[in-house]
Amino acid sequence: MLLPRSGDVLHVTKAASVQFASPMLFRVIRVHDWPTYEGWVWLDGYELNSAGDAVERRSIFVQVNGLRPVGKAPDPRARNARQPAARPSTAPARSARAHR
């Protein structure tokens, strides 16, 4: 498997490290380039709940081959974005010269 990238959502289980006997979803913020054992990597990111919301920021040390990609995280800006209010139609705008 390739190294995860920022924004990737991973299913982290004990295949990645014995500390994850209870699986979790994890959204990657960054992959550290720290020297580690072959095939292992430090990840910073957020543990996600079943709705995909971040519940805890974490740094985890895992085997890359034990990570299972789930997909890209949903863009929170799209989910929380406000839609502009519809403007009521009004009379056509007058040019500034018409008022001289």
Side-chain angles (χ1 to χ4, degrees), residues 5-43:
R5 296 176 49 173
S6 179
D8 286 351
V9 176
L10 307 170
H11 190 231
V12 183
T13 66
K14 63 182 175 181
S17 177
V18 295
Q19 65 181 316
F20 299 108
S22 296
M24 74 167 175
L25 289 177
F26 188 80
R27 183 174 61 231
V28 177
I29 296 173
R30 106 186 84 207
V31 179
H32 289 284
D33 60 355
W34 300 338
T36 65
Y37 299 105
E38 177 96 20
W40 289 77
V41 66
W42 278 98
L43 302 176

mmCIF file of all heavy atoms in Angstrom, residues 5-43:
data_model
loop_
_atom_site.group_PDB
_atom_site.id
_atom_site.type_symbol
_atom_site.label_atom_id
_atom_site.label_comp_id
_atom_site.label_asym_id
_atom_site.label_seq_id
_atom_site.Cartn_x
_atom_site.Cartn_y
_atom_site.Cartn_z
ATOM 1 N N ARG A 5 -2.403 9.894 2.494
ATOM 2 C CA ARG A 5 -2.230 11.326 2.260
ATOM 3 C C ARG A 5 -3.226 12.098 3.100
ATOM 4 O O ARG A 5 -4.227 11.562 3.561
ATOM 5 C CB ARG A 5 -2.467 11.631 0.778
ATOM 6 C CG ARG A 5 -1.447 10.961 -0.125
ATOM 7 C CD ARG A 5 -1.722 11.185 -1.561
ATOM 8 N NE ARG A 5 -1.964 12.605 -1.813
ATOM 9 C CZ ARG A 5 -2.105 13.137 -3.006
ATOM 10 N NH1 ARG A 5 -2.061 12.383 -4.063
ATOM 11 N NH2 ARG A 5 -2.320 14.421 -3.154
ATOM 12 N N SER A 6 -2.954 13.369 3.264
ATOM 13 C CA SER A 6 -3.841 14.247 4.013
ATOM 14 C C SER A 6 -5.253 14.155 3.441
ATOM 15 O O SER A 6 -5.449 14.231 2.234
ATOM 16 C CB SER A 6 -3.316 15.681 3.915
ATOM 17 O OG SER A 6 -4.158 16.548 4.601
ATOM 18 N N GLY A 7 -6.228 13.972 4.331
ATOM 19 C CA GLY A 7 -7.626 13.857 3.915
ATOM 20 C C GLY A 7 -8.109 12.440 3.750
ATOM 21 O O GLY A 7 -9.312 12.204 3.715
ATOM 22 N N ASP A 8 -7.196 11.471 3.640
ATOM 23 C CA ASP A 8 -7.616 10.075 3.503
ATOM 24 C C ASP A 8 -8.293 9.600 4.782
ATOM 25 O O ASP A 8 -7.898 9.964 5.891
ATOM 26 C CB ASP A 8 -6.417 9.166 3.228
ATOM 27 C CG ASP A 8 -5.875 9.292 1.820
ATOM 28 O OD1 ASP A 8 -6.512 9.956 0.983
ATOM 29 O OD2 ASP A 8 -4.804 8.724 1.556
ATOM 30 N N VAL A 9 -9.305 8.764 4.611
ATOM 31 C CA VAL A 9 -9.960 8.122 5.742
ATOM 32 C C VAL A 9 -9.556 6.659 5.723
ATOM 33 O O VAL A 9 -9.650 5.989 4.693
ATOM 34 C CB VAL A 9 -11.495 8.268 5.666
ATOM 35 C CG1 VAL A 9 -12.167 7.506 6.805
ATOM 36 C CG2 VAL A 9 -11.893 9.734 5.694
ATOM 37 N N LEU A 10 -9.088 6.183 6.874
ATOM 38 C CA LEU A 10 -8.567 4.824 6.997
ATOM 39 C C LEU A 10 -9.341 4.042 8.043
ATOM 40 O O LEU A 10 -9.770 4.594 9.058
ATOM 41 C CB LEU A 10 -7.098 4.871 7.420
ATOM 42 C CG LEU A 10 -6.167 5.727 6.582
ATOM 43 C CD1 LEU A 10 -4.817 5.854 7.272
ATOM 44 C CD2 LEU A 10 -6.016 5.156 5.189
ATOM 45 N N HIS A 11 -9.485 2.748 7.801
ATOM 46 C CA HIS A 11 -10.008 1.833 8.812
ATOM 47 C C HIS A 11 -8.786 1.241 9.494
ATOM 48 O O HIS A 11 -7.979 0.557 8.851
ATOM 49 C CB HIS A 11 -10.861 0.754 8.145
ATOM 50 C CG HIS A 11 -11.620 -0.072 9.103
ATOM 51 N ND1 HIS A 11 -11.596 -1.441 9.084
ATOM 52 C CD2 HIS A 11 -12.434 0.266 10.131
ATOM 53 C CE1 HIS A 11 -12.366 -1.903 10.038
ATOM 54 N NE2 HIS A 11 -12.875 -0.892 10.695
ATOM 55 N N VAL A 12 -8.622 1.543 10.760
ATOM 56 C CA VAL A 12 -7.438 1.120 11.507
ATOM 57 C C VAL A 12 -7.856 -0.008 12.448
ATOM 58 O O VAL A 12 -8.733 0.166 13.292
ATOM 59 C CB VAL A 12 -6.826 2.298 12.304
ATOM 60 C CG1 VAL A 12 -5.566 1.863 13.014
ATOM 61 C CG2 VAL A 12 -6.540 3.484 11.376
ATOM 62 N N THR A 13 -7.214 -1.159 12.281
ATOM 63 C CA THR A 13 -7.524 -2.333 13.096
ATOM 64 C C THR A 13 -6.232 -2.887 13.689
ATOM 65 O O THR A 13 -5.158 -2.340 13.471
ATOM 66 C CB THR A 13 -8.186 -3.433 12.237
ATOM 67 O OG1 THR A 13 -7.225 -3.908 11.296
ATOM 68 C CG2 THR A 13 -9.425 -2.914 11.515
ATOM 69 N N LYS A 14 -6.356 -4.026 14.373
ATOM 70 C CA LYS A 14 -5.153 -4.634 14.955
ATOM 71 C C LYS A 14 -4.191 -5.114 13.889
ATOM 72 O O LYS A 14 -3.041 -5.402 14.185
ATOM 73 C CB LYS A 14 -5.522 -5.747 15.934
ATOM 74 C CG LYS A 14 -6.233 -6.911 15.338
ATOM 75 C CD LYS A 14 -6.590 -7.912 16.413
ATOM 76 C CE LYS A 14 -7.427 -9.044 15.837
ATOM 77 N NZ LYS A 14 -7.797 -9.996 16.864
ATOM 78 N N ALA A 15 -4.607 -5.168 12.628
ATOM 79 C CA ALA A 15 -3.669 -5.493 11.546
ATOM 80 C C ALA A 15 -2.627 -4.385 11.393
ATOM 81 O O ALA A 15 -1.511 -4.640 10.947
ATOM 82 C CB ALA A 15 -4.424 -5.676 10.232
ATOM 83 N N ALA A 16 -2.992 -3.163 11.793
ATOM 84 C CA ALA A 16 -2.056 -2.033 11.727
ATOM 85 C C ALA A 16 -1.206 -1.955 12.990
ATOM 86 O O ALA A 16 -0.058 -1.534 12.932
ATOM 87 C CB ALA A 16 -2.816 -0.727 11.530
ATOM 88 N N SER A 17 -1.776 -2.328 14.130
ATOM 89 C CA SER A 17 -1.057 -2.347 15.401
ATOM 90 C C SER A 17 -1.947 -3.005 16.446
ATOM 91 O O SER A 17 -3.166 -2.792 16.448
ATOM 92 C CB SER A 17 -0.705 -0.924 15.843
ATOM 93 O OG SER A 17 -0.076 -0.931 17.106
ATOM 94 N N VAL A 18 -1.340 -3.767 17.351
ATOM 95 C CA VAL A 18 -2.118 -4.487 18.363
ATOM 96 C C VAL A 18 -2.924 -3.564 19.266
ATOM 97 O O VAL A 18 -3.901 -3.983 19.863
ATOM 98 C CB VAL A 18 -1.221 -5.404 19.221
ATOM 99 C CG1 VAL A 18 -0.636 -6.503 18.366
ATOM 100 C CG2 VAL A 18 -0.135 -4.616 19.922
ATOM 101 N N GLN A 19 -2.529 -2.292 19.340
ATOM 102 C CA GLN A 19 -3.272 -1.369 20.196
ATOM 103 C C GLN A 19 -4.678 -1.077 19.666
ATOM 104 O O GLN A 19 -5.506 -0.527 20.381
ATOM 105 C CB GLN A 19 -2.503 -0.066 20.359
ATOM 106 C CG GLN A 19 -2.339 0.717 19.069
ATOM 107 C CD GLN A 19 -1.560 1.993 19.249
ATOM 108 O OE1 GLN A 19 -1.790 2.721 20.198
ATOM 109 N NE2 GLN A 19 -0.635 2.246 18.349
ATOM 110 N N PHE A 20 -4.963 -1.463 18.414
ATOM 111 C CA PHE A 20 -6.269 -1.179 17.819
ATOM 112 C C PHE A 20 -7.124 -2.433 17.744
ATOM 113 O O PHE A 20 -7.698 -2.759 16.708
ATOM 114 C CB PHE A 20 -6.097 -0.528 16.444
ATOM 115 C CG PHE A 20 -5.357 0.768 16.520
ATOM 116 C CD1 PHE A 20 -4.054 0.870 16.042
ATOM 117 C CD2 PHE A 20 -5.937 1.880 17.106
ATOM 118 C CE1 PHE A 20 -3.349 2.056 16.142
ATOM 119 C CE2 PHE A 20 -5.237 3.074 17.206
ATOM 120 C CZ PHE A 20 -3.952 3.167 16.730
ATOM 121 N N ALA A 21 -7.236 -3.136 18.872
ATOM 122 C CA ALA A 21 -8.106 -4.304 18.958
ATOM 123 C C ALA A 21 -9.553 -3.889 18.691
ATOM 124 O O ALA A 21 -10.326 -4.653 18.122
ATOM 125 C CB ALA A 21 -7.985 -4.959 20.322
ATOM 126 N N SER A 22 -9.899 -2.650 19.084
ATOM 127 C CA SER A 22 -11.194 -2.065 18.718
ATOM 128 C C SER A 22 -10.947 -1.184 17.503
ATOM 129 O O SER A 22 -10.257 -0.166 17.605
ATOM 130 C CB SER A 22 -11.754 -1.213 19.855
ATOM 131 O OG SER A 22 -12.036 -1.999 20.976
ATOM 132 N N PRO A 23 -11.479 -1.559 16.342
ATOM 133 C CA PRO A 23 -11.210 -0.795 15.128
ATOM 134 C C PRO A 23 -11.737 0.641 15.219
ATOM 135 O O PRO A 23 -12.645 0.936 15.992
ATOM 136 C CB PRO A 23 -11.978 -1.560 14.047
ATOM 137 C CG PRO A 23 -12.246 -2.898 14.616
ATOM 138 C CD PRO A 23 -12.312 -2.723 16.096
ATOM 139 N N MET A 24 -11.135 1.507 14.426
ATOM 140 C CA MET A 24 -11.593 2.889 14.373
ATOM 141 C C MET A 24 -11.411 3.443 12.975
ATOM 142 O O MET A 24 -10.608 2.940 12.190
ATOM 143 C CB MET A 24 -10.857 3.755 15.381
ATOM 144 C CG MET A 24 -9.438 4.089 15.006
ATOM 145 S SD MET A 24 -8.794 5.399 16.056
ATOM 146 C CE MET A 24 -7.115 5.469 15.493
ATOM 147 N N LEU A 25 -12.167 4.485 12.686
ATOM 148 C CA LEU A 25 -11.965 5.259 11.469
ATOM 149 C C LEU A 25 -11.062 6.421 11.817
ATOM 150 O O LEU A 25 -11.186 7.025 12.885
ATOM 151 C CB LEU A 25 -13.295 5.780 10.925
ATOM 152 C CG LEU A 25 -14.219 4.734 10.324
ATOM 153 C CD1 LEU A 25 -15.536 5.377 9.901
ATOM 154 C CD2 LEU A 25 -13.559 4.050 9.141
ATOM 155 N N PHE A 26 -10.163 6.766 10.905
ATOM 156 C CA PHE A 26 -9.144 7.781 11.163
ATOM 157 C C PHE A 26 -8.958 8.630 9.918
ATOM 158 O O PHE A 26 -8.741 8.102 8.828
ATOM 159 C CB PHE A 26 -7.823 7.078 11.520
ATOM 160 C CG PHE A 26 -6.732 7.977 11.985
ATOM 161 C CD1 PHE A 26 -6.697 8.449 13.293
ATOM 162 C CD2 PHE A 26 -5.710 8.359 11.125
ATOM 163 C CE1 PHE A 26 -5.669 9.268 13.734
ATOM 164 C CE2 PHE A 26 -4.675 9.179 11.555
ATOM 165 C CZ PHE A 26 -4.660 9.637 12.864
ATOM 166 N N ARG A 27 -9.091 9.966 10.077
ATOM 167 C CA ARG A 27 -8.840 10.889 8.963
ATOM 168 C C ARG A 27 -7.449 11.480 9.119
ATOM 169 O O ARG A 27 -7.131 12.077 10.142
ATOM 170 C CB ARG A 27 -9.882 11.999 8.912
ATOM 171 C CG ARG A 27 -9.672 12.920 7.704
ATOM 172 C CD ARG A 27 -10.749 13.953 7.528
ATOM 173 N NE ARG A 27 -10.807 14.833 8.681
ATOM 174 C CZ ARG A 27 -11.921 15.111 9.355
ATOM 175 N NH1 ARG A 27 -13.063 14.572 9.017
ATOM 176 N NH2 ARG A 27 -11.893 15.930 10.378
ATOM 177 N N VAL A 28 -6.622 11.311 8.125
ATOM 178 C CA VAL A 28 -5.219 11.728 8.168
ATOM 179 C C VAL A 28 -5.090 13.241 7.992
ATOM 180 O O VAL A 28 -5.678 13.813 7.075
ATOM 181 C CB VAL A 28 -4.408 11.009 7.068
ATOM 182 C CG1 VAL A 28 -2.965 11.483 7.059
ATOM 183 C CG2 VAL A 28 -4.502 9.506 7.230
ATOM 184 N N ILE A 29 -4.318 13.854 8.891
ATOM 185 C CA ILE A 29 -3.925 15.252 8.726
ATOM 186 C C ILE A 29 -2.564 15.289 8.046
ATOM 187 O O ILE A 29 -2.361 16.015 7.082
ATOM 188 C CB ILE A 29 -3.831 15.978 10.081
ATOM 189 C CG1 ILE A 29 -5.187 16.051 10.755
ATOM 190 C CG2 ILE A 29 -3.233 17.365 9.898
ATOM 191 C CD1 ILE A 29 -5.125 16.599 12.167
ATOM 192 N N ARG A 30 -1.630 14.491 8.577
ATOM 193 C CA ARG A 30 -0.276 14.478 8.010
ATOM 194 C C ARG A 30 0.398 13.149 8.303
ATOM 195 O O ARG A 30 0.073 12.460 9.265
ATOM 196 C CB ARG A 30 0.526 15.651 8.561
ATOM 197 C CG ARG A 30 1.571 15.304 9.569
ATOM 198 C CD ARG A 30 2.245 16.472 10.188
ATOM 199 N NE ARG A 30 1.367 16.898 11.276
ATOM 200 C CZ ARG A 30 1.287 18.128 11.739
ATOM 201 N NH1 ARG A 30 2.022 19.075 11.243
ATOM 202 N NH2 ARG A 30 0.473 18.433 12.713
ATOM 203 N N VAL A 31 1.343 12.826 7.432
ATOM 204 C CA VAL A 31 2.200 11.660 7.598
ATOM 205 C C VAL A 31 3.583 12.191 7.936
ATOM 206 O O VAL A 31 4.168 12.950 7.168
ATOM 207 C CB VAL A 31 2.256 10.823 6.303
ATOM 208 C CG1 VAL A 31 3.173 9.623 6.492
ATOM 209 C CG2 VAL A 31 0.870 10.392 5.875
ATOM 210 N N HIS A 32 4.079 11.825 9.096
ATOM 211 C CA HIS A 32 5.407 12.303 9.508
ATOM 212 C C HIS A 32 6.504 11.567 8.746
ATOM 213 O O HIS A 32 6.357 10.389 8.418
ATOM 214 C CB HIS A 32 5.610 12.107 11.013
ATOM 215 C CG HIS A 32 4.791 13.046 11.832
ATOM 216 N ND1 HIS A 32 5.106 14.371 11.994
ATOM 217 C CD2 HIS A 32 3.642 12.851 12.527
ATOM 218 C CE1 HIS A 32 4.205 14.956 12.758
ATOM 219 N NE2 HIS A 32 3.303 14.057 13.090
ATOM 220 N N ASP A 33 7.595 12.271 8.491
ATOM 221 C CA ASP A 33 8.732 11.641 7.824
ATOM 222 C C ASP A 33 9.797 11.224 8.839
ATOM 223 O O ASP A 33 10.964 11.085 8.505
ATOM 224 C CB ASP A 33 9.321 12.576 6.763
ATOM 225 C CG ASP A 33 9.823 13.890 7.342
ATOM 226 O OD1 ASP A 33 9.630 14.138 8.549
ATOM 227 O OD2 ASP A 33 10.409 14.683 6.576
ATOM 228 N N TRP A 34 9.381 11.002 10.072
ATOM 229 C CA TRP A 34 10.303 10.579 11.120
ATOM 230 C C TRP A 34 10.852 9.190 10.809
ATOM 231 O O TRP A 34 10.137 8.333 10.309
ATOM 232 C CB TRP A 34 9.596 10.547 12.462
ATOM 233 C CG TRP A 34 9.025 11.855 12.902
ATOM 234 C CD1 TRP A 34 9.394 13.099 12.502
ATOM 235 C CD2 TRP A 34 7.955 12.041 13.825
ATOM 236 N NE1 TRP A 34 8.632 14.052 13.118
ATOM 237 C CE2 TRP A 34 7.738 13.432 13.950
ATOM 238 C CE3 TRP A 34 7.166 11.178 14.570
ATOM 239 C CZ2 TRP A 34 6.764 13.979 14.776
ATOM 240 C CZ3 TRP A 34 6.196 11.723 15.400
ATOM 241 C CH2 TRP A 34 6.007 13.103 15.505
ATOM 242 N N PRO A 35 12.121 8.956 11.136
ATOM 243 C CA PRO A 35 12.668 7.604 10.920
ATOM 244 C C PRO A 35 12.015 6.611 11.885
ATOM 245 O O PRO A 35 11.878 6.887 13.077
ATOM 246 C CB PRO A 35 14.160 7.770 11.206
ATOM 247 C CG PRO A 35 14.329 9.064 11.910
ATOM 248 C CD PRO A 35 13.115 9.896 11.646
ATOM 249 N N THR A 36 11.565 5.509 11.339
ATOM 250 C CA THR A 36 10.931 4.453 12.143
ATOM 251 C C THR A 36 11.384 3.108 11.589
ATOM 252 O O THR A 36 12.239 3.035 10.716
ATOM 253 C CB THR A 36 9.391 4.534 12.071
ATOM 254 O OG1 THR A 36 8.989 4.268 10.731
ATOM 255 C CG2 THR A 36 8.862 5.871 12.510
ATOM 256 N N TYR A 37 10.765 2.049 12.070
ATOM 257 C CA TYR A 37 11.032 0.714 11.546
ATOM 258 C C TYR A 37 10.473 0.606 10.130
ATOM 259 O O TYR A 37 9.517 1.291 9.765
ATOM 260 C CB TYR A 37 10.379 -0.355 12.434
ATOM 261 C CG TYR A 37 10.902 -0.344 13.844
ATOM 262 C CD1 TYR A 37 10.147 0.181 14.886
ATOM 263 C CD2 TYR A 37 12.162 -0.862 14.128
ATOM 264 C CE1 TYR A 37 10.628 0.190 16.179
ATOM 265 C CE2 TYR A 37 12.652 -0.857 15.426
ATOM 266 C CZ TYR A 37 11.876 -0.322 16.440
ATOM 267 O OH TYR A 37 12.355 -0.316 17.711
ATOM 268 N N GLU A 38 11.060 -0.265 9.339
ATOM 269 C CA GLU A 38 10.590 -0.506 7.967
ATOM 270 C C GLU A 38 9.114 -0.879 7.965
ATOM 271 O O GLU A 38 8.682 -1.775 8.692
ATOM 272 C CB GLU A 38 11.409 -1.650 7.366
ATOM 273 C CG GLU A 38 10.979 -2.056 5.988
ATOM 274 C CD GLU A 38 11.811 -1.397 4.907
ATOM 275 O OE1 GLU A 38 12.930 -0.943 5.206
ATOM 276 O OE2 GLU A 38 11.326 -1.350 3.780
ATOM 277 N N GLY A 39 8.323 -0.156 7.176
ATOM 278 C CA GLY A 39 6.894 -0.449 7.046
ATOM 279 C C GLY A 39 6.007 0.219 8.077
ATOM 280 O O GLY A 39 4.788 0.057 8.038
ATOM 281 N N TRP A 40 6.582 0.948 9.011
ATOM 282 C CA TRP A 40 5.814 1.627 10.046
ATOM 283 C C TRP A 40 5.844 3.138 9.798
ATOM 284 O O TRP A 40 6.779 3.649 9.194
ATOM 285 C CB TRP A 40 6.390 1.343 11.426
ATOM 286 C CG TRP A 40 6.164 -0.063 11.887
ATOM 287 C CD1 TRP A 40 6.837 -1.177 11.478
ATOM 288 C CD2 TRP A 40 5.197 -0.511 12.837
ATOM 289 N NE1 TRP A 40 6.356 -2.288 12.127
ATOM 290 C CE2 TRP A 40 5.350 -1.908 12.960
ATOM 291 C CE3 TRP A 40 4.226 0.134 13.598
ATOM 292 C CZ2 TRP A 40 4.555 -2.663 13.818
ATOM 293 C CZ3 TRP A 40 3.444 -0.629 14.451
ATOM 294 C CH2 TRP A 40 3.613 -2.012 14.550
ATOM 295 N N VAL A 41 4.822 3.832 10.287
ATOM 296 C CA VAL A 41 4.731 5.270 10.063
ATOM 297 C C VAL A 41 3.936 5.930 11.199
ATOM 298 O O VAL A 41 3.074 5.298 11.816
ATOM 299 C CB VAL A 41 4.054 5.548 8.688
ATOM 300 C CG1 VAL A 41 2.609 5.095 8.666
ATOM 301 C CG2 VAL A 41 4.168 6.982 8.282
ATOM 302 N N TRP A 42 4.280 7.185 11.482
ATOM 303 C CA TRP A 42 3.513 7.994 12.428
ATOM 304 C C TRP A 42 2.522 8.835 11.643
ATOM 305 O O TRP A 42 2.897 9.504 10.674
ATOM 306 C CB TRP A 42 4.424 8.929 13.215
ATOM 307 C CG TRP A 42 5.100 8.294 14.375
ATOM 308 C CD1 TRP A 42 6.370 7.805 14.425
ATOM 309 C CD2 TRP A 42 4.542 8.094 15.681
ATOM 310 N NE1 TRP A 42 6.641 7.301 15.673
ATOM 311 C CE2 TRP A 42 5.531 7.463 16.476
ATOM 312 C CE3 TRP A 42 3.302 8.369 16.253
ATOM 313 C CZ2 TRP A 42 5.316 7.123 17.806
ATOM 314 C CZ3 TRP A 42 3.093 8.021 17.573
ATOM 315 C CH2 TRP A 42 4.086 7.406 18.339
ATOM 316 N N LEU A 43 1.253 8.807 12.075
ATOM 317 C CA LEU A 43 0.200 9.607 11.441
ATOM 318 C C LEU A 43 -0.422 10.539 12.464
ATOM 319 O O LEU A 43 -0.674 10.142 13.607
ATOM 320 C CB LEU A 43 -0.910 8.704 10.891
ATOM 321 C CG LEU A 43 -0.525 7.640 9.867
ATOM 322 C CD1 LEU A 43 -1.746 6.787 9.539
ATOM 323 C CD2 LEU A 43 0.029 8.290 8.619
#
